[in-house]
Amino acid sequence: QVQLVESGGGLVQAGGSLRLSCAASGSIFRLNAMGWYRQAPGKQRELVAGITSGGSTNYADSVKGRFTISRDNAKNTAFLQMNSLKPEDTAVYYCNAGIRLYGSDYDRSTWGQGTQVTVSS
């Protein structure tokens, strides 16, 4: 019924940049808060950045000043611009969104399949 598809991951050298995209599709009535999470091998999944439907943002301390989250509500898409990448940013990056479907009376938390980001030193 609904899915999130991430794209834009890849291999980059330290100091480089990548831009991740997360596109939501399906019978979406309303797309609420969206967020980017990451999970490195052997570590727990952590919040990287979040953005509300109104555009308010929050960031993990480790990425403040380097990453920027944004969204295009008309296209049901969120973005994560990642600059000054470091080897410790290497992880699988996941998109999450609170989605209200047509005919539903609750928001469902939906995850994408993840996209690998690898930063070489």
Side-chain angles (χ1 to χ4, degrees), residues 24-44:
S25 62
S27 300
I28 300 171
F29 173 70
R30 185 174 64 236
L31 200 57
N32 293 317
M34 302 183 75
W36 286 96
Y37 293 72
R38 67 187 180 187
Q39 187 166 20
K43 295 188 176 181
Q44 289 188 329

Side-chain angles (χ1 to χ4, degrees), residues 32-77:
N32 293 317
M34 302 183 75
W36 286 96
Y37 293 72
R38 67 187 180 187
Q39 187 166 20
K43 295 188 176 181
Q44 289 188 329
R45 190 173 298 188
E46 62 174 357
L47 175 67
V48 175
I51 185 167
T52 67
S53 57
S56 297
T57 60
N58 64 287
Y59 297 91
D61 289 342
S62 59
V63 307
K64 283 181 181 177
R66 300 187 298 122
F67 290 11
T68 302
I69 189 172
S70 60
R71 63 191 289 168
D72 183 337
N73 290 331
K75 296 182 179 180
N76 288 337
T77 302

Side-chain angles (χ1 to χ4, degrees), residues 1 6 9 20 22 36 40 43 58-61 64 84-87 94-96 101 107 109-110 121:
Q1 286 186 323
E6 300 106 331
L20 305 183
C22 171
W36 286 96
K43 295 188 176 181
N58 64 287
Y59 297 91
D61 289 342
K64 283 181 181 177
S84 302
L85 282 161
K86 304 175 181 180
Y94 297 91
C95 178
N96 176 267
L101 300 179
D107 296 340
S109 178
T110 304
S121 58

Side-chain angles (χ1 to χ4, degrees), residues 11-18 66-67 81-90 117-121:
L11 173 64
V12 64
Q13 288 188 332
S17 299
L18 284 174
R66 300 187 298 122
F67 290 11
Q81 178 67 43
M82 305 186 293
N83 299 327
S84 302
L85 282 161
K86 304 175 181 180
E88 50 264 44
D89 294 318
T90 296
V117 171
T118 303
V119 184
S120 63
S121 58

